[in-house]
Amino acid sequence: MAVCVAVIGKDNSPLYIGGIGNDPNADNELSRQWLVHTALDALEERLSTTNNSNTNSSTNTARADLRDLYLGLLYSTDTHKIYGYVTNTRIKLVLVTSSTSPGSNIRDAEVRTALRRLHALYADAICNPFHLPGDQITSLKFDKQVKSLMLNNV
Amino acid sequence: MKGVGNSPADREGMTNKPIVACAGDWNLFCTLEQPLVAAIPQDSCEWRRSYGRITKFVYLEATFVKFNKDKTQSDLNLLKRPIFHIYWTDCLDVEYYKTTLREDIEVWIKHLEKNNITDWMIVLVETYDIRKTNKLLPRTTVLDKIKGDFAAKQTEDRFISVINPIKSEARSAESWRALVAKVRHFILVAYNKALIKFEEYMREQREKRNDPEWDFCKYFILQEQLAFVLEMLGLYEEALVQYDELDALFSQFVLNSNIAESPKWLETFRQPITSWQAVRLTSLVPQNLRELIIKKKASLLDFRSYLFQRQSAMLLLTFKPWEIASRCLTTVHNTLVELSLLSAHAVDGAAACWAHLACAETLRACERISSTNSALEACTNMNAPLLHNAKDKLHELGKLCGLLPGSPEPTSEQLHLVVMLSAGMGDSEPNNQQTSTDRLKEALCSKKSFQQYYLELAELAMGTYKHIGRLRFARTIGRDLAAFYSELGETSKAVVFLMDALRSYEEQGWKDLAAQTRLELIAAAKKMNDVDRYAKLSARIASTAELEILVRNFYFEEMLKTIRENLADKQESVLTELNDCFKLVSAELLPSERDVYITDNKVQCRLVIESDMPKDVLCTRAAIGTEAHQDKPTEKRTPVKNYKTDLTVSTASQANSPRKTVDTAETESNTLVTSIRLDDLKPKNPLLNPMNISSKLHYKEDNTLQKATVECQNPKLPLRRSDSTKYRKPSATVRNSYEAHFENENIIIHPGSNDIVVEYVAKKCGTFKLGQVSLLIEGKLEFLSNALIAAKMGYEVETQGISVYLNKVEPKKDLVAGLEHDMELVVTSGSSKIEEGATILLKTSTGLNIRFSEDECPMSRELSIPIQAIEPFQTTKIPLRLFASLQPRREKSIEHTVWLTCPWWESITEVPLHFSPPMIASWRLLTSNTRKFIHVTLKSSVAHFIQFILADPKLQCDGNNTVSDLNPKNSGELVVASDGTTASLMWELLKDPLVKAGPMKATFTVQYRPVNEDTSRTFSCPFDIQDYTTLFVIRTKLEPGKGSDFCRASQVCCLQLNLQRVNETEHTSLMYEVLADQTMWAVLGRTAGVITMESSTAEGQCVSLDVMPLGAGYLPLPAVRLSKYIARDANARDTSAHPRLEPFSPGQVYHAGKAKQVHVLPPAPKEHLDITV
């Protein structure tokens, strides 16, 4: 089950952070932000290494690498696993799952589909002509959809 | 080459080798065993496997045992049973073979067949006999016999003869090599078969895993055999796969146990954990743990330790330490999750101990193995999270055992826990090196050692993160460290870490994190009793929208409290950044009542400020500093020359600066803005620009639609990379100079938008820029912003100097010399006051006189004008009268100058004045034979309309000449006006004919007065008359040609020229020229000639010329020009000198026939000639 989903902009500032409070900790929201924030390091590392490998390898594999926007598990802590996804415009999607809660046994493929759906939701949200790319996403609809995405992914 | 000594078999603990059972002549074999054992691993052998598995080259080793037919081994024990069987014999005697050996072999083979063993070989060892080779081969050897007896088709190559290498080494090499190769080959073939069989069994077992009776431990040991075999064959990757499969299987069971009913065997792993020894990362098989698993006594940690150690062993053997590091963390995390899922009982902290030790051991192993740089680099990337985790676990332990700084002394329970934990870790190997276990135990012993170890780990983790570029992780550790140091009491160290973290969060817009970090910082500030920082942070936190309003209100009160209690007695105010708590929305300089800002007047500026404070706050003083604009000129504009003052002079007080700089200053000052919204300064978001997009339809050749596209015309513009907005560190809060500043005091700033008007009385003139904005809150906390500095907002202050103008009262009329004019001196005080008793001294150029218009005192060239005292921006006018005397000169304009000496200017001001004469007189000399007349014309050239009435015209001549007035005496007034009305006057020049006429001077005078004035003034005009005496008179006459009475067109006529001298002259040689109009006259023959007039005769000289009129009618006679003829000077050397002509003055030659016309009749044969004169 995803406990937190974040959309992070090109300049690494958060555009949207949504979480489901299932932890009893009071500073839950905040602690997840720390997780997402540090995940950026791993994410950027991943991006730079794929870039490097792109330059080294032939163009065909490079294209294949680029096509896969899902970056897989970025890192994990005792309690959480953090997955990453990056769009072609360098918008980063981060998904945090809890490894302690029941049913935490999430397959990679599930996370991949969840992040793909999130990408689609994000694309829908910024299609709003009144939304300026780079601004925080305040759409209630998006929030609702993301929350349900997190819950459905149990 | 792989030597025996390096082979894995020699490593301690690695006991598994393929077992080969030997039957037959054991003694014979014993002699060969040693070279055989040594020879087998010396080369690799290709291992072909079924099911399309990859062919590998494998180095083999072998141990040989004596064949024991009583001891049969199960197929399923891969390790302990012989994989291959060899029958050794050195029998060369066919007879012996037939009698005994054959039977023996038969028994052996039967036995093998019974046990389903197909992997065997029979070796016949021969001694090389040199004699034998020379002979013919024996008909049948023992080998042939054996083959004949036992070989089937497939097994023909299992019979081999070898020459005993012990007895004749040289000759045996080839056959020996063949033997070794065969042995290798057959062993691998055997393994292939065995493994296929084994795997099948294994699968079968695995399929039963949902049976209640199925036991994971058993299965584990079973599959591990496969791993062992693969390891034995050097296929470490494949061995690792086996372990990974087991790992996954186990994890799956544990995870599923949560949802479904858990299998019985899982209970084994729920047993209480009593040992949490460190994993040992060597390639050895940890037999004690394996025993536990076999005996089903292993706890979860034991099992996990074992599995991890085995996995690591495989990775160690393949030299991939970084892989161990990356797996370690996953293992640790999984294990901890599994622990909680299985809820296996353990002492608090046991898991943390184990996790810490696992991480620490992995780190040590990596360090040990990574010899090459690239490996080290790969490890470093993995090491940082390990260190991080180790540090976290240590912290957890420290918390449990009461070892954290700031916590009270450990309780007895906590001390007991330390003992328990230390016991569970077990004893370290008796080794000189300090192991991680020792280190951890030591750290748990005392606060000091704990602290040392913790800091060491944390610093190392942070450093490693930084090294691999994971700065955010490094900052997270920094925050942990800050908390630790803060507890230690070393708050200053904590602040450094927190500030670093805060900056990075701010930079990337993580506001919640920044707010949280600020809360930590303020706690540190409080601890340090850093009131400045505390006050600043309180203000900032109170203004942070991300935080709860209760928190904000609390810190707002804290801020006020701190200011009142701690900062009140401070001299200086505490400086901080304005943007933290307030937002400068816009600034606007209010326009002054006049267009410009004048010194000593107010300049006002309106600031719109948005306050983020939760409550109203008192701003003791709002101020904006000002600074002089760069290359500030002493800017003074020369007063504008407007239409009414083309005679004026005006200067400002400091007009010393060269005009050039004034101009540049003016253009420069134009760039200063007076009003800005700070939002406007931000670059426009390029995404808001409309995109130039058009839709296009593309057609195929047959006009069917191929595609429809939407195209962006200029894709570069919207796709242009915008520079990633670099976070600019807020300008250091340094208070700029507030020497001259806008100010307003005691304003209440409400939350939200506030209008603040600050004002400043300008003292100096010049161009000024707005500088720093300062809001002083509650008298002690000062918020500064440099936002306006970049905006180039500014204003210009002027001192409008005193200006003095000399104006015409009637500005549209020209100044006319010879008339009195009303003028006025206009003094404008500008922005300054004119004191009592100031005087302006006026001096004029010669011929220009001036006086006050009121009193009738005489005009003078100097006038001292007292100026009455006036207030700023007032004007005083002094009426003056001005007269430029008229000079008897005929000039179109008269220039005069007035010099003004004012007490407030250093230099004397020059006013050029431009006068025109009232009228202009021109004269002409008219001649009638020898009589002379002078015609004088008067006209006015003044630009505006003016009329003069003339009286008493006079012409006076010098010498003995007199004139007679021919003007009518009783006519009305003569008028000259500037609308073109002229006056003409005529005099006859009466000359004594006996006196030789010389040059003559005459003066014309007339009294004139403007129509509306009474006083008349004299206008005079002198002129010189020369060469006015008539010398020659020319008469012309046209006569008809011979035989005709009338002049007719196209008939030759005779033109008679009569030239008469009437006065004495030295010019006797004359040239005449007939200048006939060619359309009317055709001159036949010469048109010019030279004549000499020696004496003055009455007749004069006559010249006749033939001319022909070209048309009929009244034709004017051809004109004749007379010139002085100056012959070539004979004496002159210059041969090129020509005779030349000089004209006479107009009055010297009188042309009597000038206006004559002759009537020419049209050509007719019988016509009479008529001459009309």
Side-chain angles (χ1 to χ4, degrees):
Chain A
M1 165 194 264
V3 292
C4 180
V5 153
V7 180
I8 291 150
K10 209 161 37 172
D11 54 351
N12 289 336
S13 66
L15 300 181
Y16 171 86
I17 296 182
I20 299 172
N22 62 341
D23 276 13
N25 297 346
D27 59 344
N28 190 20
E29 173 71 33
L30 205 59
S31 67
R32 283 194 293 243
Q33 279 206 28
W34 296 118
L35 288 178
V36 173
H37 182 253
T38 42
L40 283 178
D41 263 343
L43 207 148
E44 284 188 332
E45 200 174 276
R46 206 65 65 86
L47 284 179
S48 68
T49 50
T50 50
N51 282 352
N52 289 344
S53 69
N54 284 349
T55 52
N56 296 338
S57 59
S58 70
T59 49
N60 269 341
T61 57
R63 213 172 297 145
D65 279 346
L66 279 178
R67 205 173 294 144
D68 198 8
L69 307 173
Y70 176 62
L71 298 177
L73 180 68
L74 295 177
Y75 79 107
S76 58
T77 67
D78 290 353
T79 48
H80 292 94
K81 284 190 166 125
I82 294 100
Y83 298 88
Y85 184 96
V86 69
T87 72
N88 286 324
T89 51
R90 287 288 186 266
I91 302 293
K92 291 133 190 157
L93 308 179
V94 175
L95 186 139
V96 183
T97 64
S98 161
S99 43
T100 48
S101 62
S104 58
N105 171 24
I106 296 174
R107 287 201 188 87
D108 207 45
E110 289 175 59
V111 178
R112 187 191 291 262
T113 29
L115 280 167
R116 279 199 185 138
R117 279 179 57 204
L118 179 64
H119 188 182
L121 292 180
Y122 167 75
D124 285 351
I126 61 158
C127 277
N128 179 354
F130 299 103
H131 175 82
L132 261 184
D135 283 2
Q136 298 221 334
I137 300 171
T138 49
S139 157
L140 290 177
K141 186 182 169 200
F142 179 74
D143 186 59
K144 212 172 110 191
Q145 284 172 326
V146 169
K147 292 267 161 70
S148 84
L149 173 80
M150 283 190 263
L151 289 171
N152 284 348
N153 202 27
V154 172
Chain B
M1 165 167 170
K2 190 157 185 171
V4 180
N6 291 341
S7 69
D10 270 24
R11 292 208 194 124
E12 192 194 349
M14 177 67 205
T15 49
N16 297 323
K17 288 180 190 175
I19 298 166
V20 180
C22 298
D25 192 342
W26 180 249
N27 292 333
L28 169 68
F29 170 72
C30 284
T31 60
L32 295 173
E33 182 177 6
Q34 203 195 351
L36 197 58
V37 166
I40 287 174
Q42 271 176 11
D43 204 358
S44 68
C45 176
E46 191 182 19
W47 188 26
R48 295 172 195 279
R49 288 185 286 176
S50 23
Y51 302 130
R53 291 184 197 175
I54 310 158
T55 307
K56 294 252 179 169
F57 283 90
V58 170
Y59 285 92
L60 272 178
E61 291 175 74
T63 45
F64 295 88
V65 296
K66 197 171 180 181
F67 176 68
N68 185 350
K69 67 179 173 188
D70 302 329
K71 198 176 157 195
T72 52
Q73 296 280 349
S74 154
D75 278 353
L76 303 175
N77 191 341
L78 282 176
L79 297 169
K80 296 288 183 244
R81 86 185 158 99
I83 195 75
F84 191 56
H85 295 261
I86 305 179
Y87 191 91
W88 298 89
T89 178
D90 58 351
C91 168
L92 296 174
D93 185 356
V94 180
E95 288 309 311
Y96 177 73
Y97 165 74
K98 279 180 180 167
T99 52
T100 49
L101 191 62
R102 182 177 171 175
E103 204 170 311
D104 195 33
I105 293 173
E106 208 169 339
V107 170
W108 179 68
I109 286 191
K110 281 257 168 65
H111 181 81
L112 292 183
E113 274 171 0
K114 203 173 82 193
N115 285 310
N116 245 344
I117 294 169
T118 52
D119 304 293
W120 48 263
M121 190 165 85
I122 296 171
V123 183
L124 179 69
V125 181
E126 290 173 279
T127 311
Y128 182 75
D129 189 350
I130 201 148
R131 293 160 299 166
K132 228 178 186 177
T133 47
N134 292 342
K135 291 178 179 176
L136 288 168
L137 282 167
R139 200 158 37 88
T140 49
T141 59
V142 176
L143 192 66
D144 295 333
K145 283 275 176 200
I146 298 170
K147 271 187 185 169
D149 288 338
F150 301 105
K153 249 194 182 157
Q154 298 85 10
T155 57
E156 267 176 5
D157 52 350
R158 293 178 180 270
F159 304 90
I160 192 166
S161 86
V162 65
I163 295 166
N164 193 336
I166 308 295
K167 290 187 177 155
S168 55
E169 207 165 325
R171 310 278 170 164
S172 69
E174 200 180 326
S175 67
W176 180 253
R177 226 177 357 253
L179 171 75
V180 173
K182 276 264 161 78
V183 170
R184 285 189 199 126
H185 174 72
F186 283 127
I187 290 177
L188 289 178
V189 169
Y191 265 122
N192 190 27
K193 282 184 197 155
L195 290 187
I196 286 167
K197 210 183 263 176
F198 183 82
E199 279 171 8
E200 216 162 85
Y201 176 73
M202 205 174 77
R203 255 194 304 281
E204 229 168 74
Q205 289 300 306
R206 194 163 58 213
E207 289 313 309
K208 290 182 191 159
R209 66 184 178 276
N210 290 333
D211 282 2
E213 292 306 312
W214 191 80
D215 187 351
F216 178 79
C217 294
K218 264 190 195 160
Y219 178 75
F220 180 85
I221 298 299
L222 179 73
Q223 185 163 1
E224 197 188 17
Q225 281 190 57
L226 183 56
F228 280 143
V229 171
L230 292 168
E231 182 190 357
M232 184 168 75
L233 297 176
L235 303 173
Y236 305 117
E237 278 98 347
E238 289 178 32
L240 183 62
V241 170
Q242 302 306 318
Y243 282 113
D244 287 349
E245 277 180 13
L246 287 167
D247 188 346
L249 187 65
F250 184 76
S251 302
Q252 201 59 44
F253 269 117
V254 176
L255 290 173
N256 287 346
S257 75
N258 212 20
I259 311 158
E261 198 184 337
S262 72
K264 210 162 72 186
W265 59 265
L266 211 51
E267 291 303 318
T268 319
F269 297 105
R270 289 203 166 106
Q271 61 187 295
I273 293 161
T274 51
S275 159
W276 37 90
Q277 284 187 357
V279 290
R280 281 189 204 146
L281 300 184
T282 59
S283 51
L284 304 182
V285 180
Q287 292 296 351
N288 55 337
L289 291 175
R290 191 158 189 267
E291 287 302 310
L292 285 175
I293 294 168
I294 294 168
K295 288 178 194 157
K296 302 187 187 178
K297 293 237 171 96
S299 68
L300 181 70
L301 284 187
D302 292 333
F303 172 71
R304 276 293 174 187
S305 292
Y306 178 75
L307 192 56
F308 182 59
Q309 285 180 49
R310 289 306 297 153
Q311 286 170 328
S312 303
M314 295 306 119
L315 290 167
L316 283 175
L317 290 169
T318 46
F319 299 100
K320 287 182 184 163
W322 56 90
E323 185 75 24
I324 304 178
S326 78
R327 278 159 173 266
C328 172
L329 215 53
T330 330
T331 308
V332 166
H333 288 147
N334 285 346
T335 309
L336 295 182
V337 170
E338 283 165 7
L339 262 182
S340 69
L341 285 177
L342 294 178
S343 53
H345 175 75
V347 183
D348 283 345
C353 261
W354 182 81
H356 172 88
L357 289 174
C359 292
E361 275 300 321
T362 309
L363 285 168
R364 284 165 63 94
C366 288
E367 205 178 316
R368 204 169 58 224
I369 293 158
S370 311
S371 45
T372 62
N373 276 338
S374 61
L376 199 65
E377 196 61 32
C379 278
T380 314
N381 283 348
M382 292 302 159
N383 282 354
L386 282 179
L387 283 164
H388 189 177
N389 199 47
K391 180 216 81 136
D392 281 352
K393 294 298 168 198
L394 186 65
H395 191 263
E396 193 181 325
L397 288 173
K399 203 169 160 191
L400 281 173
C401 302
L403 293 168
L404 291 184
S407 60
E409 281 303 301
T411 59
S412 62
E413 277 130 50
Q414 281 170 332
L415 290 173
H416 182 66
L417 184 65
V418 172
V419 175
M420 291 270 287
L421 288 174
S422 299
M425 279 184 259
D427 292 325
S428 56
E429 296 162 69
N431 202 331
N432 289 340
Q433 284 174 314
Q434 193 187 32
T435 61
S436 351
T437 315
D438 296 335
R439 193 74 211 267
L440 181 60
K441 279 183 182 168
E442 187 193 322
L444 292 181
C445 280
S446 75
K447 269 193 180 184
K448 189 163 167 269
S449 53
F450 171 80
Q451 179 187 322
Q452 196 190 347
Y453 190 36
Y454 180 79
L455 289 179
E456 185 186 308
L457 276 177
E459 298 279 3
L460 193 58
M462 193 158 70
T464 318
Y465 271 136
K466 277 184 183 161
H467 176 71
I468 61 172
R470 291 188 166 192
L471 295 179
R472 294 181 184 85
F473 278 105
R475 294 211 174 89
T476 310
I477 295 183
R479 283 183 65 248
D480 292 345
L481 268 177
F484 195 80
Y485 277 124
S486 185
E487 289 296 324
L488 267 180
E490 296 179 47
T491 340
S492 51
K493 278 187 187 169
V495 167
V496 174
F497 287 117
L498 288 175
M499 287 302 285
D500 181 45
L502 176 63
R503 204 174 57 236
S504 79
Y505 300 145
E506 289 265 279
E507 245 171 61
Q508 300 193 323
W510 292 78
K511 290 181 184 160
D512 290 333
L513 304 189
Q516 186 59 30
T517 312
R518 272 204 192 87
L519 288 174
E520 284 161 28
L521 259 177
I522 200 168
K526 180 150 196 154
K527 220 173 242 181
M528 288 165 80
N529 203 23
D530 185 345
V531 282
D532 287 12
R533 196 193 287 269
Y534 189 74
K536 282 195 245 180
L537 279 169
S538 301
R540 181 75 166 99
I541 290 170
S543 315
T544 305
E546 282 77 23
L547 291 172
E548 294 280 331
I549 191 68
L550 286 176
V551 178
R552 293 174 58 188
N553 283 341
F554 172 76
Y555 279 104
F556 183 76
E557 297 303 331
E558 281 292 296
M559 174 187 84
L560 296 182
K561 205 174 90 188
T562 317
I563 291 172
R564 273 195 296 272
E565 292 175 6
N566 302 84
L567 299 179
D569 47 345
K570 276 203 171 190
Q571 289 284 313
E572 300 287 311
S573 53
V574 177
L575 306 178
T576 184
E577 182 66 27
L578 181 89
N579 286 351
D580 286 354
C581 305
F582 302 96
K583 200 174 132 213
L584 201 53
V585 177
S586 68
E588 181 191 4
L589 281 160
L590 301 179
S592 71
E593 298 142 27
R594 292 166 215 286
D595 288 344
V596 287
Y597 300 107
I598 308 293
T599 46
D600 297 326
N601 281 36
K602 268 186 209 165
V603 184
Q604 289 185 315
C605 181
R606 175 188 288 133
L607 289 174
V608 178
I609 284 175
E610 218 162 78
S611 166
D612 293 334
M613 293 276 183
K615 289 177 183 173
D616 286 0
V617 69
L618 173 72
C619 175
T620 328
R621 190 199 63 209
I624 307 176
T626 60
E627 46 196 65
H629 194 253
Q630 273 142 14
D631 57 82
K632 162 194 78 172
T634 51
E635 206 282 327
K636 274 304 106 226
R637 64 169 70 170
T638 35
V640 190
K641 292 192 173 174
N642 50 33
Y643 67 96
K644 67 170 183 180
T645 60
D646 54 337
L647 286 188
T648 60
V649 152
S650 52
T651 18
S653 57
Q654 290 153 18
N656 308 339
S657 61
R659 179 165 279 260
K660 233 182 193 173
T661 59
V662 172
D663 288 342
T664 54
E666 269 170 1
T667 54
E668 185 82 3
S669 64
N670 287 342
T671 61
L672 288 175
V673 288
T674 57
S675 166
I676 51 155
R677 288 180 58 80
L678 289 182
D679 284 347
D680 298 344
L681 289 182
K682 289 178 190 156
K684 199 185 169 196
N685 189 338
L687 295 167
L688 288 176
N689 292 334
M691 266 212 280
N692 195 357
I693 279 180
S694 62
S695 60
K696 273 193 185 160
L697 300 176
H698 299 258
Y699 292 96
K700 284 190 228 166
E701 279 178 5
D702 56 353
N703 276 345
T704 52
L705 188 65
Q706 185 193 14
K707 57 182 174 182
T709 55
V710 177
E711 289 174 10
C712 182
Q713 303 297 330
N714 186 5
K716 273 185 188 158
L717 213 60
L719 289 180
R720 189 176 49 197
R721 269 188 73 111
S722 59
D723 288 340
S724 36
T725 44
K726 277 274 175 205
Y727 175 80
R728 289 224 320 271
K729 195 181 182 298
S731 47
T733 43
V734 177
R735 198 165 192 274
N736 289 359
S737 159
Y738 280 82
E739 201 178 313
H741 64 275
F742 289 81
E743 193 179 85
N744 197 351
E745 292 189 342
N746 294 331
I747 316 147
I748 301 289
I749 298 184
H750 309 288
S753 185
N754 291 273
D755 259 26
I756 298 174
V757 175
V758 287
E759 54 188 42
Y760 166 55
V761 176
K763 289 286 179 205
K764 276 198 261 180
C765 50
T767 310
F768 295 94
K769 249 171 58 170
L770 293 191
Q772 206 172 40
V773 178
S774 148
L775 294 179
L776 186 64
I777 299 296
E778 298 286 343
K780 280 299 162 198
L781 193 56
E782 184 161 11
F783 292 89
L784 299 174
S785 167
N786 290 337
L788 288 184
I789 293 178
K792 260 200 144 181
M793 255 185 105
Y795 59 94
E796 202 180 317
V797 176
E798 286 181 0
T799 299
Q800 212 171 41
I802 302 168
S803 52
V804 179
Y805 300 79
L806 188 59
N807 282 359
K808 290 184 282 191
V809 172
E810 290 170 292
K812 290 202 174 142
K813 290 189 179 176
D814 279 355
L815 290 176
V816 179
L819 288 179
E820 252 184 56
H821 285 274
D822 281 321
M823 301 285 285
E824 57 189 9
L825 191 70
V826 181
V827 179
T828 309
S829 60
S831 58
S832 51
K833 236 187 207 175
I834 294 182
E835 304 293 333
E836 189 75 50
T839 53
I840 298 177
L841 185 69
L842 264 73
K843 277 187 193 170
T844 62
S845 52
T846 322
L848 184 66
N849 289 309
I850 202 160
R851 66 173 168 85
F852 292 109
S853 59
E854 296 92 35
D855 43 331
E856 291 296 316
C857 64
M859 289 205 160
S860 64
R861 281 189 54 205
E862 227 178 275
L863 197 59
S864 181
I865 303 169
I867 309 291
Q868 66 195 80
I870 48 172
E871 291 298 303
F873 299 108
Q874 285 185 350
T875 303
T876 182
K877 291 182 182 177
I878 297 108
L880 296 172
R881 280 184 81 76
L882 193 84
F883 178 77
S885 54
L886 199 58
Q887 303 297 324
R889 261 182 251 127
R890 285 182 294 159
E891 281 170 347
K892 284 273 171 68
S893 75
I894 303 146
E895 304 297 337
H896 283 291
T897 312
V898 177
W899 288 279
L900 301 173
T901 313
C902 301
W904 44 83
W905 300 338
E906 288 163 8
S907 59
I908 293 168
T909 314
E910 218 178 79
V911 187
L913 294 177
H914 169 85
F915 289 84
S916 44
M919 61 193 91
I920 295 167
S922 57
W923 63 277
R924 281 179 75 195
L925 184 72
L926 305 175
T927 307
S928 176
N929 214 354
T930 52
R931 290 173 74 185
K932 297 288 167 179
F933 301 92
I934 293 168
H935 177 210
V936 175
T937 310
L938 287 168
K939 69 175 187 198
S940 171
S941 58
V942 178
H944 62 272
F945 179 72
I946 190 163
Q947 259 186 319
F948 294 106
I949 293 169
L950 304 179
D952 202 8
K954 274 183 198 154
L955 187 70
Q956 284 177 322
C957 300
D958 64 340
N960 33 21
N961 295 313
T962 54
V963 289
S964 81
D965 194 348
L966 300 181
N967 299 308
K969 288 289 172 277
N970 51 357
S971 62
E973 289 174 322
L974 272 172
V975 173
V976 170
S978 57
D979 59 353
T981 312
T982 56
S984 289
L985 298 161
M986 181 79 91
W987 284 270
E988 185 176 1
L989 192 61
L990 300 178
K991 181 183 158 280
D992 188 350
L994 299 177
V995 179
K996 192 177 181 235
M1000 184 185 91
K1001 281 194 194 305
T1003 309
F1004 168 76
T1005 56
V1006 69
Q1007 299 294 314
Y1008 69 94
R1009 62 178 174 87
V1011 178
N1012 48 359
E1013 280 181 38
D1014 294 335
T1015 45
S1016 290
R1017 289 190 175 81
T1018 307
F1019 174 80
S1020 69
C1021 180
F1023 38 83
D1024 299 330
I1025 309 173
Q1026 282 178 319
D1027 297 333
Y1028 53 88
T1029 320
T1030 311
L1031 298 178
F1032 301 99
V1033 175
I1034 302 171
R1035 290 188 177 82
T1036 45
K1037 201 167 82 180
L1038 188 75
E1039 286 174 354
K1042 283 173 192 161
S1044 55
D1045 298 328
F1046 304 103
C1047 287
R1048 283 182 185 272
S1050 308
Q1051 271 189 358
V1052 176
C1053 300
C1054 181
L1055 181 71
Q1056 295 283 349
L1057 294 184
N1058 183 290
L1059 196 63
Q1060 187 183 12
R1061 204 179 79 173
V1062 292
N1063 262 312
E1064 287 289 329
T1065 178
E1066 67 268 33
H1067 304 295
T1068 53
S1069 189
L1070 301 169
M1071 175 173 239
Y1072 69 88
E1073 288 162 281
V1074 178
L1075 306 168
D1077 185 344
Q1078 290 187 352
T1079 58
M1080 288 186 271
W1081 300 103
V1083 181
L1084 308 173
R1086 291 166 54 152
T1087 59
V1090 176
I1091 50 174
T1092 313
M1093 299 285 286
E1094 283 302 338
S1095 61
S1096 94
T1097 52
E1099 301 84 40
Q1101 292 222 8
C1102 280
V1103 178
S1104 61
L1105 293 152
D1106 286 342
V1107 298
M1108 187 167 69
L1110 296 176
Y1114 292 96
L1115 303 182
L1117 280 175
V1120 176
R1121 187 165 70 196
L1122 201 65
S1123 313
K1124 298 170 195 166
Y1125 182 79
I1126 297 159
R1128 192 175 66 177
D1129 192 352
N1131 298 332
R1133 292 275 174 86
D1134 189 2
T1135 49
S1136 68
H1138 291 288
R1140 50 194 175 88
L1141 292 177
E1142 270 186 14
F1144 284 105
S1145 294
Q1148 285 179 316
V1149 177
Y1150 179 68
H1151 198 279
K1154 198 171 194 176
K1156 254 189 203 167
Q1157 285 186 332
V1158 63
H1159 188 202
V1160 178
L1161 298 176
K1166 285 182 193 170
E1167 227 84 7
H1168 63 274
L1169 182 88
D1170 186 15
I1171 300 164
T1172 318
V1173 178

